[in-house]
Amino acid sequence: MLIKNTIFRGIKLLKICVTQKNSFQTGFIKTSQKTVKLANGADIPIVGLGTWRSQPEEIENAVQIALENGYRHIDTAFNYNTEEYIGNVLHKWLESGKIKREELFITTKLPNFGNRPADVEKYLKLSLERLQLDYVDLYLIHMPFSFHSNEAGNGPLKNEDGSFSLDTENDIISTWKELEKQVQKGLTKAIGLSNFNSEQVQRIHRAEIKPVVNQVELHAYLQQKELRDACKILNVAVTAFSPLGSPGANTHFQNKYSYSLNDFPDILGHPIVKELSEKYRKQPGQILLRHLIQQDVIVIPKSTNPERIKANIDLFDFDLSSDDLEKLNALDKKEDGRIFDFMFFKGVDKHPEYPFKARL
Ligand SMILES: NC(=O)c1ccc[n+]([C@@H]2O[C@H](COP(=O)([O-])OP(=O)(O)OC[C@H]3O[C@@H](n4cnc5c(N)ncnc54)[C@H](OP(=O)(O)O)[C@@H]3O)[C@@H](O)[C@H]2O)c1
């Protein structure tokens, strides 16, 4: 009975609605894409541009091409080191009047070495300075676990044995309370979470200002059905990071952390994805993205390649049939499909807020 009532209440609470929107209009650009209504009333474009691992020399061009092709949602983070370049392009577009600030949806994130009340405003203001903006649309706690900061304040502190120095003194609730203040100060329109498990989302959700988004790894091999259901009940929208399976991330893990994942997946190359790509005459990446947006999941594919940037938002002229959606649903490997368990941060699984079950 209790479960039934909870589900019923959840369905009543559910306000995430997806609408076809034609209102992104600028001087000479008119685009049409779906948006998802967030709990704070804002409309987030269902496709955004991811920017992790985008190189400094490519990122300005990528943002320029993305804006020209109708992207209005950009995802970044303090520690991607892309905010400054994104800011340069946004500034030009805003100053020239080609776009209005309210047409954009910009997300950035508090770094895992700034997860403490005293640091929240400092990092948000640094991000705003780099982005050349007065406010962001969404500010996320990047990860639920915290590290001590290095002396320069630009990275996590490491111990002598190479493990990361865990900060277990600051709890996520007190950090969240500080994020709430940033909404009240007008430095961000909304606040949210990233890489939080369902218990952690529920815990934060008791706060006065609710999280509007949980951004998590989500693709055909890790479909996060249970987490998505838990978020739906709380009216927390889900954004899929690495929606294409993050090809190339393994090289990055190897170069940066001397860490590598066994059997790094090639989701774009899966025979079912290839079969559907031929059937619909769409690229494998478009099939994977369509699979998610057709279920109202927000996606933020990263690309700096002009053709792929265009393809990744060209998703609104076809529908996958329910049989084909089922074929893609069947690719879910659940926890075995997870790429980002963050074990490249040596020792992170010892943090009390580590969100995943340690792999056997
Ligand atoms: N919150 C978090 O902890 C977290 C973690 C990871 C990522 N993210 C966010 O999510 C975004 C996306 O995730 P991601 O960058 O890990 O992975 P992704 O978007 O799944 O994949 C990006 C990779 O796929 C390639 N690619 C892009 N479009 C393609 C297409 N249509 N066909 C074939 N290959 C394509 C890109 O190369 P080219 O650039 O050469 O096209 C790039 O190497 C990030 O950029 C970041 O903004 C957040």
Side-chain angles (χ1 to χ4, degrees):
M1 190 62 185
L2 186 67
I3 295 175
K4 215 170 155 189
N5 280 345
T6 312
I7 294 173
F8 183 66
R9 243 181 320 127
I11 291 169
K12 270 179 52 181
L13 260 170
L14 178 70
K15 290 194 215 95
I16 297 173
C17 67
V18 176
T19 48
Q20 191 78 32
K21 205 168 173 191
N22 292 304
S23 61
F24 295 131
Q25 207 168 339
T26 66
F28 56 88
I29 290 152
K30 192 173 174 186
T31 85
S32 164
Q33 79 154 300
K34 283 166 86 178
T35 58
V36 172
K37 178 75 77 190
L38 299 179
N40 70 330
D43 293 310
I44 183 170
I46 200 161
V47 181
L49 180 73
T51 62
W52 177 58
R53 286 192 291 126
S54 295
Q55 297 305 306
E57 64 280 9
E58 348 173 271
I59 179 72
E60 290 192 15
N61 191 43
V63 175
Q64 174 71 23
I65 289 169
L67 291 174
E68 283 169 2
N69 284 281
Y71 285 77
R72 293 294 177 266
H73 167 190
I74 297 173
D75 182 80
T76 183
F78 181 82
N79 56 7
Y80 295 170
N81 294 317
T82 54
E83 291 173 317
E84 202 180 320
Y85 307 97
I86 296 167
N88 290 342
V89 182
L90 295 182
H91 181 71
K92 278 191 208 143
W93 276 62
L94 289 166
E95 208 179 35
S96 70
K98 274 201 280 190
I99 204 165
K100 294 195 193 83
R101 175 64 186 89
E102 54 275 22
E103 292 174 287
L104 292 166
F105 195 102
I106 310 296
T107 303
T108 194
K109 313 184 189 93
L110 178 69
N112 56 26
F113 48 87
N115 266 2
R116 61 190 62 81
D119 279 351
V120 171
E121 187 165 332
K122 175 179 95 180
Y123 283 107
L124 175 52
K125 283 187 166 166
L126 279 170
S127 288
L128 289 171
E129 200 180 305
R130 291 170 170 190
L131 287 162
Q132 303 182 49
L133 296 175
D134 299 329
Y135 68 88
V136 285
D137 296 276
L138 181 59
Y139 197 52
L140 305 179
I141 299 185
H142 203 151
M143 292 161 200
F145 44 82
S146 324
F147 301 126
H148 291 117
S149 168
N150 65 17
E151 224 169 286
N154 58 8
L157 186 69
K158 283 197 199 170
N159 299 314
E160 273 176 14
D161 65 356
S163 64
F164 284 65
S165 176
L166 307 180
D167 178 354
T168 53
E169 278 164 30
N170 290 289
D171 67 287
I172 49 178
I173 302 288
S174 50
T175 302
W176 183 259
K177 286 201 166 80
E178 206 54 38
L179 265 84
E180 290 181 314
K181 290 185 193 155
Q182 308 312 310
V183 179
Q184 284 148 359
K185 287 181 185 173
L187 299 182
T188 182
K189 295 280 181 200
I191 47 181
L193 309 168
S194 179
N195 297 299
F196 278 53
N197 65 30
S198 54
E199 182 280 319
Q200 291 168 324
V201 177
Q202 281 156 3
R203 214 175 338 137
I204 296 284
H205 197 267
R206 293 188 203 116
E208 202 178 315
I209 301 186
K210 310 292 182 199
V212 299
V213 159
N214 189 21
Q215 183 184 121
V216 294
E217 179 184 349
L218 207 170
H219 43 68
Y221 285 6
L222 177 66
Q223 298 191 23
Q224 304 265 28
K225 294 260 171 58
E226 284 164 27
L227 179 62
R228 273 155 63 191
D229 288 347
C231 286
K232 200 169 186 176
I233 288 175
L234 299 172
N235 195 17
V236 174
V238 173
T239 298
F241 77 65
S242 307
L244 305 170
S246 204
N250 220 20
T251 314
H252 176 83
F253 297 153
Q254 187 63 49
N255 294 343
K256 188 160 180 193
Y257 302 103
S258 303
Y259 175 90
S260 98
L261 207 72
N262 292 333
D263 304 324
F264 194 87
D266 172 18
I267 310 178
L268 287 158
H270 191 285
I272 297 281
V273 179
K274 283 187 176 166
E275 175 198 311
L276 297 179
S277 160
E278 280 163 28
K279 176 173 170 184
Y280 289 90
R281 295 171 192 260
K282 293 283 173 186
Q283 296 170 17
Q286 292 174 306
I287 298 294
L288 290 176
L289 296 172
R290 182 74 210 178
H291 173 231
L292 298 180
I293 65 166
Q294 220 166 296
Q295 301 175 80
D296 304 340
V297 173
I298 302 153
V299 294
I300 45 170
K302 173 264 172 186
S303 183
T304 46
N305 172 291
E307 292 315 312
R308 291 194 282 274
I309 293 172
K310 286 180 205 167
N312 290 345
I313 200 170
D314 183 15
L315 306 173
F316 300 98
D317 62 350
F318 74 112
D319 273 311
L320 295 168
S321 71
S322 49
D323 282 355
D324 292 333
L325 283 178
E326 279 309 318
K327 280 187 185 172
L328 291 163
N329 288 346
L331 301 186
D332 193 4
K333 296 174 190 275
K334 302 196 171 171
E335 277 306 301
D336 288 344
R338 190 182 292 284
I339 299 168
F340 290 81
D341 60 6
F342 298 108
M343 291 302 284
F344 45 81
F345 298 133
K346 193 175 166 196
V348 67
D349 53 329
K350 306 285 181 308
H351 194 285
E353 295 291 358
Y354 179 70
F356 315 125
K357 286 196 185 98
R359 283 183 215 237
L360 297 174

